[in-house]
Amino acid sequence: MRMALEGMGIVAPFGNGIKALKQAAFLKISNESNTSSTPATDTEPLKKHVPVRSLRRVDHFTRMTLLAAYEAVNDAGLSPADMKDAGIVLATGYGPARLTFDFLDSIIDYGPNMASPLAFSHSVHNIPAATVALSMHINGPCFTVSQFETSVAAAFLTARTWLAEERVDRVLVGAVDEYTELLQKNSTRMALELSSDASGGRRNHTPGEGAVFFCLHADASRARYGFIDQVKVSRVQPDRAQITPIFFSGAAGPRHRAALTTTSLHDFSNVYGNIPTAMAFDIALATCVLQGVLSPRIITPNTICCLSRDRFGTVGKLIVTPQEI
Amino acid sequence: MRKEVPVSVTGMGCVCAAGFCLEVCLETLASGKRGPADPTRFTNDHGRSYPVFEIPQKFFMCEGMSDESKSLTFRFALHATWQALWQARLNATHLGKARVGVCLGTSVGASLNFLDFYREHRAHTTPDLTPIHRYLTSNPALALAQKLGATGPVQTIVNACSSGADAIGMGAAWIRQGLCDVVIAGGADELSEVTYNGFIRLMIADQNACKPFDANRKGLNLGEGAGIVILESPAFMSKHKACEHATICGYGTAADAHHLTAPHPEGLGLKKAIAEALQQAGLGTRDIAFINAHGTGTLNNDRAEAAVFKELFLGKPIVATKGVTGHTLGAAGAIEAVFTIAHLAAGKIPASPGFERPDPELGVAPTSRPKTIRGKVAMSQSLAFGGNNSVLIIRKGRDV
Amino acid sequence: MDIKTELKKALVKELNLEDITPAEIEDNEPLFGEGLGLDSLDAVEIVVLVQRHFGVEITDMDEGKKAFESINTLAAFIEENRTDHA
């Protein structure tokens, strides 16, 4: 079953919105920009959508989540009132990492007796998605999935399952991860443990963070940006012959990458950095490329396969196709 | 929500403080015997007792539990999976011919709770990466699919206390939609020093053994374990001598959108989830023979559930089982689905361990003695942190 | 610094009340519901703040509820229960 993509929201260090993503991708492909070492994402525009007071306990991860969700709803030409029975699925690699570490800090600094319950409660993985539901008054199904690089595909699979069951007509699918110095440090240390050809380029990854939200609908006529189809998350390695141009993210050394495709494989990690939910950026970018945005550097295809692979050998993939004319 | 065909459950497994397998857990439930105590794997530095339902060290010799390179959460899940596959009479040959999906729920199993590692990092030493490696190789569904060579869909759901129920609901949908032939679905979680401290600081942990729905209840006790069900398509069942223990005939899930740490006082999201589950099952509230409550023993949770029981299920038997399992977080919804299946098969529900005195404010009470059940359909519900509510409607299987 | 001032400062800082200054918190205005509009999650955080700043422990939220009505009641509770605390 294909899902109509009616809106997108993007929040990232390179800027917010689809225009910023197109710009960042264009500059990267033209080798014209530098990536900063510590990504910093601007969530101030969130104050346009919600009362400032309501944000007092909201951490950076959740602010990125909320902003991308509101932007996606806006972009679809909708308001929160239209979302009442919508589903929400959030994909995340590590969840609200900074707040997790804040809670650990409070245990270490003050002892377990005086650790912060606020930090603990907000570091639980499903709280950001619940915050979207709370903020927009959504009473539909609300899931969070966490399985590293295949989280994004699993979130789309959840959305597809709900739409096929007619549990909901509309789903907000989001993907969020945040930068922390400790995770970056661990990532580099572990990449150094591998030989350079097995590390899949992980030694030189620039750090990333960000939030991407997609507003999906069961009705094909709402496909402003095209369709998401053929979602799969499994250990079955994709059939080489079926693969169309691939936008790839995740854990795969040269051998695995070569096994994936006979046609072109694009890795945009230098646009958005090292982030488990990279596939979401690839999907957003795919909708732009299908409109010819990166032409002539990337020839405009008919469909794009977005694919991500995790360390367990699980592959998450889906197809992005343009809206019908 | 469309009415759907029921999905068969052909095997179950579970492990928690109440027992290393379902049979022992049921004996513990029947006896109500419990001995929660302070944790042994980490210290309680609060100056007063906050007991937990810890799985004893001696269980770690059981099948599936011994791989120390993996997290306890994964090891519990694997152990329960072996039990469930054995009961389902599915061996490696059968599985090799099937598309097997894996859908598991967890909380701690996906969390960055490496306190000791983090302490060393704060002290500017360079800590050994072993706990990080363990975390990265122990994502429950990914690791289980890898272990079994499963070729169907793979998903790890982190919806806090409703994760186990959500995974079963999702797995059932995969079968109905033809995404795979078999699903290993359920939840697993381990006790963690970080989560332990968190719940104590939220002041919802009891300093004594928990008392679900009791007038003197003071909060929850954390627990750990795993619950697994094997779901199969009719086509695959016919290929081997499968026995239908139960069917999952409905699943509903809805957000309260009320508060992040307290449930909606009138159970708004819970009522929506119940309505959705019943709709999918093509049933009404009168068809429900008994309900397995979430029943954590906190003031707010039990109050919210009671409000809904009074409104929709007045007079229906309610059983609360966390009095012998503790709150197993991501595993809870799955362990309780397994208990519900077993109770339907036995035609009996036990007294609710820990419950003694009805709370007049609640207006409903769970079982205080064993009760015969004649009906074939039951409901199990889970209320999660963040305000998520998930409900499973389970029917007794044709072969039990 | 007297207890009430220290309390107000701690609340504004630790509960991230960006739109209000400590001086603007009235001694007798309700902290929960209306007034400052705090909720149950703020309440458990305040328990920890009170312990960190004043060494006074609240183990039972029923006890806490009465103390938390306003800055006045909370300061009085702390005064009553604190032992020597540097």
Side-chain angles (χ1 to χ4, degrees):
Chain A
M1 169 183 179
R2 60 180 187 168
M3 300 181 278
L5 183 47
E6 40 174 9
M8 288 194 289
I10 296 164
V11 170
F14 54 71
N16 297 342
I18 296 150
K19 274 208 192 85
L21 177 62
K22 290 184 203 178
Q23 175 88 335
F26 195 78
L27 289 173
K28 267 298 159 189
I29 286 167
S30 324
N31 286 318
E32 277 173 38
S33 80
N34 299 314
T35 323
S36 73
S37 54
T38 305
T41 308
D42 177 21
T43 58
E44 280 300 295
L46 182 52
K47 295 177 182 172
K48 283 189 318 217
H49 296 289
V50 299
V52 174
R53 202 14 143 77
S54 70
L55 294 176
R56 69 179 170 89
R57 298 191 297 216
V58 178
D59 61 294
H60 180 64
F61 182 105
T62 310
R63 286 178 191 230
M64 291 196 291
T65 305
L66 281 170
L67 180 54
Y70 271 101
E71 292 289 300
V73 170
N74 250 30
D75 188 53
L78 303 167
S79 73
D82 299 307
M83 309 298 293
K84 184 148 190 15
D85 293 314
I88 301 170
V89 197
L90 184 70
T92 182
Y94 301 116
R98 282 187 214 180
L99 220 43
T100 305
F101 297 143
D102 282 351
F103 182 58
L104 300 187
D105 280 329
S106 74
I107 295 176
I108 294 167
D109 292 334
Y110 298 108
N113 238 347
M114 294 189 280
S116 165
L118 191 54
F120 170 70
S121 61
H122 283 56
S123 71
V124 175
H125 276 33
N126 70 322
I127 289 297
T131 308
V132 175
L134 185 58
S135 185
M136 295 192 188
H137 307 289
I138 299 176
N139 293 117
C142 187
F143 266 36
T144 304
V145 299
S146 183
Q147 47 193 90
F148 307 121
E149 292 91 345
T150 47
S151 303
V152 175
F156 276 97
L157 184 63
T158 300
R160 180 219 171 274
T161 307
W162 288 345
L163 291 171
E165 287 183 299
E166 294 173 15
R167 192 176 291 276
V168 291
D169 292 323
R170 176 174 275 136
V171 187
L172 266 177
V173 174
V176 188
D177 265 305
E178 69 181 329
Y179 167 79
T180 63
E181 198 198 308
L182 177 57
L183 290 181
Q184 182 63 22
K185 208 168 163 188
N186 287 345
S187 182
T188 310
R189 282 183 67 196
M190 288 189 328
L192 288 170
E193 285 179 349
L194 301 167
S195 63
S196 66
D197 63 335
S199 72
R202 268 172 274 162
R203 291 183 187 188
N204 297 318
H205 265 163
T206 47
E209 70 169 17
V212 185
F213 260 81
F214 303 90
C215 201
L216 301 171
H217 203 278
D219 181 356
S221 69
R222 298 202 58 91
R224 186 159 156 236
Y225 290 101
F227 298 92
I228 308 286
D229 200 359
Q230 296 179 43
V231 186
K232 264 194 147 70
V233 190
S234 79
R235 300 183 54 75
V236 174
Q237 303 305 300
D239 181 1
R240 215 179 202 206
Q242 286 171 8
I243 293 169
T244 54
I246 295 176
F247 287 7
F248 175 83
S249 60
R255 184 172 56 90
H256 281 117
R257 289 172 193 239
L260 283 173
T261 178
T262 51
T263 59
S264 55
L265 181 144
H266 298 278
D267 179 342
F268 293 107
S269 54
N270 59 353
V271 174
Y272 43 71
N274 176 21
I275 175 171
T277 44
M279 187 169 164
F281 285 106
D282 282 341
I283 295 166
L285 206 45
T287 64
C288 303
V289 171
L290 289 171
Q291 291 166 358
V293 153
L294 292 180
S295 155
R297 293 211 177 245
I298 294 180
I299 296 166
T300 307
N302 293 323
T303 54
I304 294 172
C305 173
C306 293
L307 193 152
S308 192
R309 188 178 179 280
D310 65 37
R311 277 165 242 261
F312 296 80
T314 328
V315 172
K317 75 189 247 303
L318 49 83
I319 307 288
V320 186
T321 56
Q323 67 182 151
E324 274 121 29
I325 300 151
Chain B
M1 187 79 237
R2 200 175 55 213
K3 180 172 188 290
E4 292 278 11
V5 295
V7 174
S8 301
V9 176
T10 56
M12 294 101 70
C14 78
V15 57
C16 60
F20 66 88
C21 67
L22 177 55
E23 203 181 301
V24 177
C25 289
L26 294 173
E27 282 167 16
T28 309
L29 268 172
S31 72
K33 198 157 152 245
R34 60 200 197 139
D38 274 336
T40 64
R41 273 177 243 135
F42 49 85
T43 53
N44 167 6
D45 293 319
H46 293 269
R48 55 182 65 83
S49 185
Y50 288 100
V52 295
F53 284 87
E54 193 177 83
I55 287 179
Q57 193 72 23
K58 63 186 180 197
F59 285 13
F60 293 8
M61 294 187 304
C62 295
E63 199 187 3
M65 298 259 237
S66 54
D67 181 359
E68 290 185 9
S69 72
K70 291 279 198 277
S71 70
L72 280 177
T73 299
F74 172 76
R75 289 150 73 182
F76 296 157
L78 183 61
H79 172 73
T81 298
W82 288 144
Q83 290 176 16
L85 288 173
W86 180 85
Q87 188 180 44
R89 302 182 210 152
L90 286 171
N91 57 31
T93 314
H94 295 125
L95 295 178
K97 295 189 188 137
R99 290 171 304 160
V100 179
V102 179
C103 195
L104 297 181
T106 190
S107 277
V108 176
S111 297
L112 299 169
N113 288 343
F114 354 100
L115 186 51
D116 293 333
F117 178 94
Y118 192 74
R119 251 187 255 271
E120 285 185 58
H121 159 76
R122 280 269 311 250
H124 301 293
T125 62
T126 308
D128 173 18
L129 286 173
T130 306
I132 310 297
H133 280 296
R134 184 180 295 118
Y135 163 75
L136 290 173
T137 56
S138 297
N139 182 280
L142 298 179
L144 189 61
Q146 184 181 49
K147 177 84 179 168
L148 301 177
T151 57
V154 186
Q155 184 162 345
T156 297
I157 297 172
V158 291
N159 280 358
C161 323
S162 67
S163 305
D166 294 327
I168 294 173
M170 179 59 65
W174 288 353
I175 296 285
R176 287 192 199 103
Q177 293 178 19
L179 302 186
C180 51
D181 311 304
V182 178
V183 180
I184 299 168
D189 250 319
E190 67 192 85
L191 282 168
S192 139
E193 186 175 4
V194 176
T195 319
Y196 181 70
N197 288 327
F199 277 96
I200 290 168
R201 285 279 57 82
L202 282 167
M203 301 185 74
I204 51 175
D206 198 331
Q207 292 175 43
N208 297 295
C210 64
K211 306 170 74 58
F213 296 99
D214 192 280
N216 290 326
R217 67 189 188 280
K218 294 269 190 292
L220 56 81
N221 306 135
L222 287 175
E224 59 183 3
I228 297 284
V229 298
I230 308 297
L231 305 171
E232 286 189 51
S233 70
F236 195 77
M237 282 174 73
S238 63
K239 291 187 180 154
H240 71 111
K241 290 195 178 69
C243 166
E244 184 185 88
H245 292 271
T247 60
I248 307 296
C249 35
Y251 164 68
T253 180
D256 279 339
H258 168 72
H259 190 272
L260 293 181
T261 56
H264 191 281
E266 282 127 47
L268 181 81
L270 180 56
K271 287 193 283 200
K272 188 164 191 271
I274 290 170
E276 198 175 83
L278 288 172
Q279 223 175 352
Q280 195 178 51
L283 297 172
T285 55
R286 70 192 173 288
D287 298 309
I288 302 299
F290 72 89
I291 303 156
N292 182 299
H294 189 58
T296 56
T298 67
L299 290 166
N300 283 339
N301 175 81
D302 296 0
R303 191 182 290 137
E305 282 192 275
V308 174
F309 291 150
K310 229 165 70 171
E311 189 185 328
L312 299 178
F313 295 102
L314 197 58
K316 293 279 186 191
I318 299 157
V319 65
T321 57
K322 287 184 170 73
V324 293
T325 63
H327 189 355
T328 57
L329 301 181
I335 290 176
E336 285 158 29
V338 169
F339 287 168
T340 301
I341 293 170
H343 292 147
L344 278 169
K348 196 163 80 169
I349 51 177
S352 301
F355 170 74
E356 280 165 13
R357 216 159 62 84
D359 182 346
E361 193 209 328
L362 298 184
V364 292
T367 51
S368 52
R369 58 171 75 89
K371 189 174 173 54
T372 304
I373 297 292
R374 291 199 174 78
K376 293 194 164 44
V377 181
M379 191 175 91
S380 180
Q381 60 189 42
S382 303
L383 284 70
F385 218 60
N388 201 44
N389 302 270
S390 296
V391 173
L392 289 168
I393 311 283
I394 299 171
R395 183 186 284 274
K396 182 173 170 177
R398 60 168 185 258
D399 297 323
V400 295
Chain C
M1 196 184 348
D2 71 284
I3 295 179
K4 290 183 197 174
T5 313
E6 196 177 340
L7 256 179
K8 291 178 187 180
K9 278 190 144 160
L11 287 183
V12 166
K13 177 163 183 279
E14 313 281 356
L15 301 182
N16 233 19
L17 303 171
E18 290 173 339
D19 53 344
I20 194 168
T21 64
E24 284 169 331
I25 303 176
E26 308 264 345
D27 285 3
N28 60 354
E29 86 177 280
L31 295 176
F32 293 87
E34 335 100 49
L36 214 50
L38 305 180
D39 68 10
S40 55
L41 187 50
D42 294 308
V44 286
E45 192 73 11
I46 292 174
V47 168
V48 161
L49 297 183
V50 164
Q51 204 172 338
R52 286 184 200 169
H53 287 263
F54 305 101
V56 172
E57 222 185 333
I58 298 164
T59 49
D60 179 343
M61 274 322 269
D62 287 332
E63 194 187 22
K65 249 196 204 125
K66 294 188 211 107
F68 287 2
E69 272 168 24
S70 66
I71 294 286
N72 276 340
T73 55
L74 191 45
F77 177 85
I78 291 169
E79 194 66 70
E80 247 177 75
N81 288 283
R82 78 193 298 188
T83 49
D84 284 339
H85 177 76

